Amino acid sequence: MKKHLVTIFIAVLTLIAFGSCNKDIQENLSDLAQLTPSNQDVNAGSWKTVVLVTADEVALAAPTAATDPAYLAEVAATKQAAAGANATQKKAISYWSAGSILRWNEILRELVAKHNLAPAPKDDNTYPIPDANNPFNYPQFPFANPPYAARAYAYAAVAQYDALVAAWYYKNKYQRNSTYNTDPSIVPLVPKNNLPGYPCEDAVAAGAAYVMLRALFPADTSLINEKVAEAAQYKKWAGAATDSDISAGLALGKAIGQKVLNRAKTDKMKNAIGTQAIWDSLRQSAVTRGETPWLSQDVPSRPPMLPLFGQVKPFLFPAADIAAIRPPAPPSTNSAEFQAQLESVRKESDPNDRDKMRIVHFWADGTGTYTPPGHWNYFTAELVYKAQQSEVRAARTFALLGMSMMDAGITCWDIKYFYMVPRPTQMDPKIKTLTGLPNFPAYTSGHSTFSWAGATILSHIFPSAKNDLESKASEASISRVYGGIHYPMDCDAGKVSGVRIGNLAIARAQSDGAE
Amino acid sequence: MHPFLFQILTFIQMRKKLLFFLFLGCSLYANAQSLSDGIFMDKRYLCAGVLYNHDAWDHYWEGSLLRTNGNIGTLTTQNAVVMANYGVFNRLNVIAMLPFVWTNASSGTLTGQRGFQDFTLGIKYKAFETNVLGGKLSGQVVAGGSIPSTNYVADYLPLSIGLHSKTLWGRGILHFAGAKHLTFLLSAAYIGRSNVSIDRTSYYTTHQIYSSEVAMPDAAQFAFRGGYYSFRWGAEFLAQHDATLGGFDIRRQDMPFLSNNMDATRVGVTAFYRFPFLDDLQLLGTAMQVVQGRNVGKSFSWSLGVTKFFNFNPKKQ
């Protein structure tokens, strides 16, 4: 008997020792192959820019000729750098060569998730406000909530898109050979292409990111600087860019980034948080209409999230149109129709339905996440990677998606604070939520608006993914009813708005010269 | 007392006295006392019972910051556990348990959860027993594991009913049963925890991760208990430290997460009484307070349970 016991114990201890050892996680969209676009989009220099009026709005000096001894010395230095690339540099090459635009989007999603935390209440039950001039002080700037994030994704992508269109413009204009075409003995550590090398597109994208990300996430400048240095230099370590390709690229990217940043600085985001008087007047206008106005249900009561975000300058429609594209008023909070909406929430929201719970949590994208616009940026990254879009086309895709998300946020926030519809939990305290309750009015659903805007523009760019994208948008939308935080009418109206914004993006896409 | 009843009780007590060391046991606190209490059932004796546990906190540690949260108020977790401890051999017991858990937040809008949690199976082996200082010192090894019994939602802390990790664990126990019914126990356990699959495909720990899988750090537990232990009744002081071996802190105003670095030091008391007129049905209660922690609630918990012995030995004579 003793023998058996010894065997049992050895077996159990072995299980304990080895059973829980391998905890490595295989992440999605990691270990990516190097980007090998089937179409280099050589004519992208003629595509329509967003903020820049023309692609050559920022001047870029002509490079030294490919036959110039100074340039040849640079090429030799690059060849040497590639031959001596160390492990860290090779790691950077493998990371960035999957696509600079893809990686910057990934970095941005991470920054958003890092900063998507609402300020904690103070002892006197008020809330501190993040201060862009003191980004390191608690609460750190920014609070990257969904509108902030939507805008951040948009500006970062637009800056990179405009910068890459300019890069392609100058590549074609100056036609300076890339390193490996100048010196055929160079075997680059990245796939070859036939694009002229000056300026280096990865450095251009890094320069634009440098300006935009540092402005949007000022507490993370050291991380951003580190990534910029890597992204700008990796093509040299890989034998595919020279110092002048890179320095010209960085300068061009930064200058264009600055132009886009200037737009951001004057887009009225600064005022979006409002004042106590504005918050009171928003509530009062609903009371005057005879409605029960939305109230913050955070404890202690929290100021509304960016109530004037609806006044931020959109990309895809004139700001003056905001009232015209607003949907009609939802049923009055006193009406039978409204009661019916409330009843639908009671019926659809069930914490004991495991599959609904899965849907709620899959799409929640709440506190500490990359937000719903981030989720759609992630889907975009998957599609861009799968399609192996060129850097400039990837930048265009993210810019179209980003502008759709931001404008979806603008119209949605305008509607939310215009109608001030209370959340189901405010109208019936017996209703409980299956996820965190957002601190802004219900009508219309941000998830629905963002998702349908995203699904619409992405279905245009990736027609074969249409069914999948639309079912994702539907599920994202209904998840909020399942979660007990939205009425079905919020989702239906959100879909109408989202599709409208998505169609504006499609109209732009059809006329920007890329299709 | 009715003479017949008296006769029965006397008979039982005599038998129990003979079997004193067999019956030392069948107690439990929190979810798993019998897996850590140093007590053995003798061969073919079953101890089975149910236990109700109530745990509540209105302060919690966000990292090392002790705070309240108006959107949670008081977080109450209750559970009802069914457990059984069977003596396969005098020195080898098999223990099984399954809790039903339900949670509630007194403030805010988040809904509570309820459901069957993790099924635990363990074996307890007495490796040695020796006479020391007028008492008996024994060394024991407990090993086992747990597995979620349902597909409950884990990624919904603090309202989820569990972490949905499979565990494999081993525990070493030094147990001293001294003169005058004094008893002391020291134990240390290592808990291996499997990765957990959640409903979302990305989450942020100290960085963004794109996966549904969450890497769960292993955990350790150290416990001390000591006090009076007789067949009829017992009362002991308890101290327990649970440590997550890795993991990260909840960020300021973030939600807690499965792979947080959750640590808790608890102190408390446990007591039991066996009712002679109820065939030694045992009533037991425990109260514990978290005195120090990290990424956990500063909870006060109490439990109340009843357990019963069953003899599966063939009747003698």
Side-chain angles (χ1 to χ4, degrees):
Chain A
M1 194 203 97
K2 275 221 162 139
K3 257 190 185 165
H4 287 299
L5 287 176
V6 169
T7 316
I8 288 168
F9 276 96
I10 287 172
V12 168
L13 291 175
T14 311
L15 275 174
I16 290 169
F18 297 107
S20 54
C21 272
N22 186 12
K23 295 193 172 181
D24 294 344
I25 286 171
Q26 182 61 42
E27 291 190 55
N28 303 326
L29 275 193
S30 64
D31 297 334
L32 301 183
Q34 294 189 318
L35 175 62
T36 50
S38 52
N39 180 355
Q40 296 291 347
D41 291 309
V42 286
N43 297 321
S46 64
W47 292 357
K48 193 169 114 193
T49 45
V50 176
V51 173
L52 296 182
V53 179
T54 56
D56 62 351
E57 188 177 320
V58 173
L60 183 72
T64 52
T67 49
D68 191 293
Y71 175 66
L72 293 174
E74 278 188 43
V75 172
T78 293
K79 186 178 176 180
Q80 209 174 0
N86 64 30
T88 314
Q89 291 169 337
K90 282 183 176 159
K91 204 177 153 195
I93 293 165
S94 132
Y95 176 79
W96 289 99
S97 62
S100 271
I101 294 300
L102 202 66
R103 294 305 189 185
W104 281 114
N105 186 259
E106 183 180 290
I107 290 164
L108 181 52
R109 277 180 263 131
E110 174 151 3
L111 287 170
V112 167
K114 179 179 177 185
H115 288 279
N116 184 12
L117 295 171
K122 295 192 281 190
D123 290 338
D124 64 359
N125 283 344
T126 64
Y127 291 90
I129 295 170
D131 179 1
N133 297 317
N134 275 310
F136 294 96
N137 286 3
Y138 189 83
Q140 274 201 0
F141 180 87
F143 165 23
N145 50 43
Y148 189 93
R151 178 173 168 275
Y153 292 120
Y155 276 111
V158 164
Q160 289 189 321
Y161 169 69
D162 275 13
L164 285 191
V165 170
W168 255 250
Y169 171 85
Y170 288 116
K171 277 174 184 285
N172 273 328
K173 181 175 178 188
Y174 296 127
Q175 291 289 336
R176 187 167 78 176
N177 258 348
S178 55
T179 53
Y180 44 82
N181 286 333
T182 303
D183 176 356
S185 74
I186 292 179
V187 183
L189 304 175
V190 292
K192 289 185 185 183
N193 62 47
N194 292 321
L195 291 172
Y198 179 91
C200 169
E201 64 270 30
D202 299 84
V204 172
Y210 176 86
V211 173
M212 291 312 311
L213 297 196
R214 282 167 53 106
L216 290 161
F217 296 94
D220 292 272
T221 46
S222 60
L223 170 93
I224 294 162
N225 293 349
E226 200 179 289
K227 297 284 185 192
V228 166
E230 228 184 60
Q233 294 297 327
Y234 91 91
K235 277 245 171 101
K236 182 183 176 184
W237 305 331
T242 67
D243 286 342
S244 59
D245 295 335
I246 290 168
S247 59
L250 262 176
L252 181 68
K254 284 181 184 176
I256 293 171
Q258 193 57 50
K259 294 235 170 199
V260 177
L261 181 60
N262 290 343
R263 183 204 191 269
K265 281 179 171 168
T266 54
D267 72 357
K268 294 195 176 175
M269 180 64 171
K270 250 185 237 159
N271 310 327
I273 196 162
T275 60
Q276 184 69 51
I278 289 167
W279 306 336
D280 292 343
S281 77
L282 289 169
R283 199 176 62 230
Q284 192 51 47
S285 76
V287 174
T288 309
R289 290 197 308 272
E291 301 295 333
T292 303
W294 170 83
L295 291 173
S296 168
Q297 287 188 278
D298 269 21
V299 184
S301 172
R302 187 186 285 277
M305 182 187 287
L306 302 181
L308 301 189
F309 189 73
Q311 295 176 11
V312 168
K313 186 179 168 190
F315 276 108
L316 300 169
F317 63 92
D321 288 1
I322 192 83
I325 63 170
R326 197 181 287 147
S332 163
T333 48
N334 311 311
S335 67
E337 290 107 300
F338 194 89
Q339 286 304 317
Q341 291 286 326
L342 210 48
E343 186 54 31
S344 296
V345 178
R346 288 188 200 102
K347 227 168 72 186
E348 292 294 336
S349 177
D350 178 1
N352 298 312
D353 185 324
R354 186 63 184 84
D355 198 51
K356 283 185 175 175
M357 201 71 174
R358 175 191 68 75
I359 291 168
V360 170
H361 287 166
F362 180 84
W363 293 105
D365 296 326
T367 296
T369 70
Y370 51 25
T371 74
H375 211 152
W376 284 91
N377 271 269
Y378 173 77
F379 294 142
T380 307
E382 284 184 324
L383 291 164
V384 160
Y385 176 70
K386 199 173 150 205
Q388 289 288 292
Q389 289 189 337
S390 68
E391 294 284 23
V392 66
R393 190 167 287 274
R396 172 182 177 266
T397 303
F398 280 112
L400 287 167
L401 186 270
M403 291 188 286
S404 305
M405 291 286 134
M406 174 162 157
D407 288 8
I410 290 168
T411 180
C412 181
W413 255 244
D414 165 72
I415 299 162
K416 280 178 182 292
Y417 288 97
F418 187 81
Y419 293 118
M420 291 290 278
V421 174
R423 295 276 173 175
T425 44
Q426 183 186 333
M427 297 305 285
D428 177 2
K430 280 195 195 121
I431 293 177
K432 290 285 178 184
T433 66
L434 281 59
T435 184
L437 180 70
N439 191 49
F440 39 83
Y443 183 83
T444 57
S445 155
H447 272 62
S448 186
T449 315
F450 285 129
S451 298
W452 280 104
T456 303
I457 181 61
L458 291 177
S459 295
H460 171 76
I461 301 171
F462 306 100
S464 63
K466 189 177 198 296
N467 288 344
D468 178 50
L469 290 162
E470 292 188 351
S471 73
K472 281 186 163 100
S474 292
E475 196 178 83
S477 193
I478 195 69
S479 78
R480 308 306 272 175
V481 179
Y482 293 164
I485 60 184
H486 270 295
Y487 310 97
M489 66 179 185
D490 305 342
C491 302
D492 297 342
K495 178 177 176 179
V496 173
S497 287
V499 170
R500 176 184 284 125
I501 298 295
N503 283 334
L504 292 173
I506 291 175
R508 195 204 136 84
Q510 286 169 332
S511 61
D512 68 3
E515 293 182 358
Chain B
M1 192 185 286
H2 192 281
F4 181 62
L5 190 60
F6 181 79
Q7 235 177 353
I8 291 174
L9 286 173
T10 312
F11 171 67
I12 291 168
Q13 271 173 334
M14 275 172 58
R15 208 177 66 173
K16 292 288 161 63
K17 262 175 193 155
L18 286 172
L19 301 172
F20 181 72
F21 276 101
L22 313 183
F23 284 106
L24 271 178
C26 203
S27 61
L28 64 169
Y29 76 85
N31 284 351
Q33 183 157 324
S34 56
L35 293 168
S36 61
D37 66 1
I39 306 303
F40 275 81
M41 299 300 299
D42 214 348
K43 191 172 176 178
R44 287 185 188 147
Y45 276 86
L46 172 74
C47 169
V50 287
L51 184 83
Y52 167 79
N53 189 55
H54 183 279
D55 178 288
W57 52 262
D58 61 5
H59 280 71
Y60 67 104
W61 284 277
E62 187 178 72
S64 55
L65 174 71
L66 185 61
R67 61 165 292 180
T68 57
N69 190 324
N71 299 308
I72 289 172
T74 298
L75 198 285
T76 305
T77 304
Q78 298 171 83
N79 68 50
V81 191
V82 287
M83 68 77 73
N85 182 357
Y86 182 70
V88 180
F89 304 110
N90 292 356
R91 299 174 70 153
L92 183 92
N93 283 191
V94 175
I95 296 150
M97 61 185 67
L98 178 65
F100 184 88
V101 183
W102 61 106
T103 62
N104 177 59
S106 69
S107 178
T109 65
L110 289 174
T111 184
Q113 294 277 284
R114 62 184 152 85
F116 283 101
Q117 198 212 37
D118 306 334
F119 175 72
T120 296
L121 189 67
I123 51 175
K124 187 150 95 170
Y125 176 61
K126 193 182 284 181
F128 69 84
E129 187 167 60
T130 175
N131 293 322
V132 177
L133 299 167
K136 277 192 157 63
L137 178 71
S138 68
Q140 304 159 16
V141 187
V142 196
S146 70
I147 187 164
S149 65
T150 59
N151 185 25
Y152 63 82
V153 177
D155 181 21
Y156 184 58
L157 290 171
L159 284 144
S160 54
I161 62 168
L163 301 179
H164 216 267
S165 180
K166 297 182 194 99
T167 69
L168 276 176
W169 43 260
R171 170 180 284 116
I173 298 174
L174 265 183
H175 180 239
F176 179 72
K180 295 182 179 168
H181 300 294
L182 286 181
T183 174
F184 297 98
L185 177 145
L186 283 172
S187 75
Y190 186 89
I191 301 127
R193 305 196 296 179
S194 75
N195 289 356
V196 175
S197 182
I198 60 175
D199 292 334
R200 40 184 177 143
T201 45
S202 78
Y203 56 93
Y204 192 93
T205 56
T206 53
H207 61 289
Q208 181 80 352
I209 295 171
Y210 289 96
S211 174
S212 295
E213 205 177 326
V214 180
M216 294 292 283
D218 290 343
Q221 188 185 71
F222 307 94
F224 165 81
R225 50 191 292 171
Y228 180 87
Y229 195 109
S230 70
F231 172 73
R232 185 57 55 212
W233 67 278
E236 289 180 81
F237 167 80
L238 306 169
Q240 181 181 313
H241 180 70
D242 290 276
T244 302
L245 307 172
F248 68 101
D249 283 340
I250 305 172
R251 294 181 293 161
R252 191 82 178 96
Q253 198 67 8
D254 200 358
M255 301 293 279
F257 192 66
L258 304 175
S259 57
N260 281 146
N261 179 14
M262 301 180 201
D263 295 341
T265 306
R266 296 176 167 82
V267 293
V269 290
T270 183
F272 71 88
Y273 182 74
R274 295 186 177 121
F275 292 96
F277 51 91
L278 292 173
D279 196 15
D280 292 329
L281 180 86
Q282 176 178 255
L283 179 70
L284 53 106
T286 298
M288 293 196 97
Q289 172 69 47
V290 174
V291 290
Q292 188 52 251
R294 196 172 186 91
N295 305 305
V296 295
K298 191 177 183 184
S299 72
F300 175 75
S301 57
W302 59 268
S303 63
L304 212 55
V306 286
T307 58
K308 184 85 182 72
F309 304 108
F310 302 94
N311 181 358
F312 291 98
N313 283 298
K315 294 242 158 59
K316 284 180 182 166
Q317 283 124 21

